[in-house]
Structure formats: structure tokens, C-alpha cells
Amino acid sequence: MTLTVTPIDGCIGARVTGLNLHEALSDATFAELHAAWMQHKVLVLPDQNISDDEHVAFATRFGELEIHHQKIIKDETNPAIFKVSNVDENNQVRPPSSDVMTQLLLTKIWHTDSSFREVPCMGSILRGLEVVDEGGQTCFTNMAAVLEGLPADLLAKIEGKRCRHDFAHLNRIGSKYVPTAEEKLAMPPIWQPMIRVHPVTGQKSLYISPIYNDAIEGMDDAEAKEVLDQLYEICSEPRFVYEHTWTQYDILMWDNRSTMHRILPYDPAARRVSHRTTIVGDGPVMAA
Ligand code: OGA
Ligand code: MN
């Protein structure tokens, strides 16, 4: 396989062609792909109509796979597959008011995956099986570039600070899904550094995940909210963002250590089905 890596205009993302994910990657191809991923943070792999098993095999090249702690979202036969889907087990579109959708639709807010874990994931690999005609784009923001672009006064407020990441915050901001006692116990709130060092590139980046963040060390609730809101606005500036319009069988892979993502609105009656694998990180978040 000969990879072609074409950077996307702007500060984040590249398209990779020349890959055939029905086949195992050679060590050399894998190394090339991994290097491109670390450099560009988000990779788009078009035209990869692979099975769940092939998806899992590909993702496993990068490391152990995370199993989501909630039952509702996992595939029953293949628990490493996280179903980012508005279609239920009877093949019907779930109404936006359903418990599962009130949670899944919170991905319209910037976040990075599994930041609520002691060891958050390193990356996610999402495969578009059914895509919508309008809207439903996935946006990515480059958190290393955001950190460099922060105004000095805002940077001074967060340097050396940690913020809290609580999976249960989803319920406070609109999720109606009621976790089981076991799910609640599995994910107590934790504190993560707000500026992290990337274990592979050494690059520093801002590390927040607004769907889970409910506090900043040393700040009262009002101040923490104000700081998080200011950071959120900066993360949304178009100069830091790539907006991906899906084509069926696209695969997107993103580095959760140096990016955030969110989804744009789409017609709730339209089917949107994606499958995700999530790669476990190599250790706790390293503070800058
Ligand atoms: C995710 C997610 C975005 C999307 O899979 O982690 O946030 O476009 N999904 O569905
Ligand atoms: Mn996500």
C-alpha cells in the first residue's frame, strides 16, 4: 500500500488515500499512518466500507480498545463498538426526546472523548455507515493551536489549574438517560490538568471537555463558568476548526489528547449511523 497524505487547508486534518482496510497493514504502512495521525491530529480515510470486525482489527493496531461503561451504547456482540446512532435495535429512528438521544445529542457541544476516565482514551475511530444529506457535520478544533492563541490574561487564570470532569454532568445539561447504580459507581468525578503535554509529540495543548466540566480548582462556580465559556468561544473560532461533511464509508480518526469535536444539527427524522472504536490512552494525563 502506498499512502497519500493530503493536508486539509487550515490548521488541522489530512485526507489519507491508498489504504485498504480489508487487509492488515504492514508495519511500515502502520508507522506512516501513525506519524500522519500525530502530525495532523485528524485523519479522513474515504471509501472504507469495512465490517465491525475489520474496524476492531484496524483500531487494535493502535492499542487496547476501550469498552464503554454504559450498556445502552455498546454493540452486544462486539462490545468494543460504540454505536453513535439514532437508529434503535428494531431499525427505527429514535425520537430526539428518547433517553439515548438526549445523551447522544449532547455531542453538539465541544468535547473530547472519555476525559472523565483516570486514563482517558488516546483516539477515536468513527466509521460512517449511514450519513445524512444535510447538516450532521463533525467539527474538530486544534487544542494546541487554541492554547497558543489564548489571550495572556485568560492563560494566566488556568495555568497550573485542574478542572473537574464528571460523566454525570451530562444529566445536568440535558441527558435524560438514567444510569444504573453500577454505571454511576464506575465513573466518579475526577480532576484533569487544563494544559497537558502530548506523550508522543511533546506539544502542549488546552485540555477541557465542556460536556463533562463542572468546576475549576480554586474558583467558585460563577468564575469557573465564565472561564469555561471564554475558552469555549475561542475553541469555536473558525481559524482553529475543520468541519467535516460526511460521505458514506468515510472513516474519521481523531487524537483526543490534542483536539475536541462536536456535531452540527441535522434533521432528527434522517438516519445517521456511525460505529466508533476508542483506543485506551497510555497513562494518566501529563500536566504541562
Ligand atoms: C463521537 C462523537 C460525533 C459524530 O463519536 O465521539 O462525538 O459526528 N460523534 O457523531
Ligand atoms: Mn465524541
Side-chain angles (χ1 to χ4, degrees):
M1 290 185 219
T2 310
L3 300 191
T4 305
V5 179
T6 312
I8 290 163
D9 282 349
C11 76
I12 179 168
R15 281 175 78 83
V16 179
T17 54
L19 264 182
N20 172 7
L21 296 186
H22 293 302
E23 288 170 20
L25 305 188
S26 69
D27 289 347
T29 304
F30 172 77
E32 221 180 307
L33 185 67
H34 185 258
W37 195 11
M38 295 304 99
Q39 182 182 350
H40 299 287
K41 301 179 170 58
V42 175
L43 298 181
V44 179
L45 279 43
D47 202 19
Q48 301 288 347
N49 181 11
I50 58 171
S51 66
D52 282 348
D53 286 343
E54 286 168 328
H55 184 164
V56 166
F58 171 60
T60 303
R61 287 298 295 269
F62 296 92
E64 185 193 339
L65 301 188
E66 195 174 280
I67 307 293
H68 202 268
H69 68 290
Q70 287 179 316
K71 202 169 167 206
I72 42 161
I73 275 171
K74 287 188 284 236
D75 187 74
E76 277 176 13
T77 52
N78 218 335
I81 297 280
F82 174 114
K83 293 189 286 188
V84 186
S85 168
N86 65 357
V87 173
D88 68 16
E89 46 299 333
N90 301 317
N91 209 23
Q92 301 299 308
V93 173
R94 296 179 200 265
S97 59
S98 63
D99 289 358
V100 171
M101 288 315 293
T102 57
Q103 178 175 312
L104 275 182
L105 289 170
L106 290 174
T107 54
K108 68 182 181 205
I109 299 170
W110 287 121
H111 66 281
T112 176
D113 297 326
S114 81
S115 64
F116 51 85
R117 286 177 180 259
E118 205 65 53
V119 176
C121 63
M122 70 85 117
S124 298
I125 302 181
L126 186 67
R127 185 170 124 240
L129 296 169
E130 295 185 58
V131 302
V132 294
D133 293 335
E134 259 180 87
Q137 298 91 340
T138 307
C139 304
F140 296 92
T141 185
N142 179 336
M143 297 296 269
V146 165
L147 178 67
E148 275 185 23
L150 289 186
D153 55 338
L154 188 53
L155 178 63
K157 285 186 188 164
I158 64 164
E159 267 182 321
K161 292 271 171 62
R162 296 182 305 169
C163 69
R164 194 161 59 194
H165 296 241
D166 185 1
F167 190 79
H169 193 56
L170 293 178
N171 286 121
R172 290 178 228 127
I173 60 172
S175 170
K176 292 208 249 55
Y177 173 74
V178 182
T180 63
E182 204 178 310
E183 287 171 359
K184 255 192 203 159
L185 273 176
M187 292 301 156
I190 58 161
W191 294 88
Q192 302 282 21
M194 295 185 77
I195 302 176
R196 69 182 292 176
V197 182
H198 196 287
V200 177
T201 64
Q203 205 175 34
K204 289 183 191 172
S205 61
L206 177 66
Y207 191 59
I208 58 171
S209 195
I211 56 176
Y212 307 123
N213 296 144
D214 64 349
I216 297 178
E217 241 171 13
M219 291 184 196
D220 63 28
D221 287 353
E223 192 186 359
K225 183 174 182 321
E226 192 184 316
V227 167
L228 286 166
D229 287 349
Q230 283 172 0
L231 293 171
Y232 194 93
E233 284 308 308
I234 296 169
C235 293
S236 312
E237 287 179 25
R239 63 186 168 131
F240 299 127
V241 175
Y242 166 59
E243 184 181 304
H244 181 75
T245 299
W246 286 87
T247 299
Q248 190 182 32
Y249 305 135
D250 281 345
I251 285 181
L252 293 188
M253 30 202 295
W254 59 88
D255 185 336
N256 277 300
R257 302 167 293 194
S258 57
T259 66
M260 289 200 294
H261 56 282
R262 68 172 170 186
I263 173 180
L264 298 185
Y266 60 95
D267 174 4
R271 295 169 64 96
R272 189 176 188 277
V273 179
S274 314
H275 284 185
R276 190 182 98 190
T277 50
T278 314
I279 303 148
V280 173
D282 59 5
V285 176
M286 281 192 290

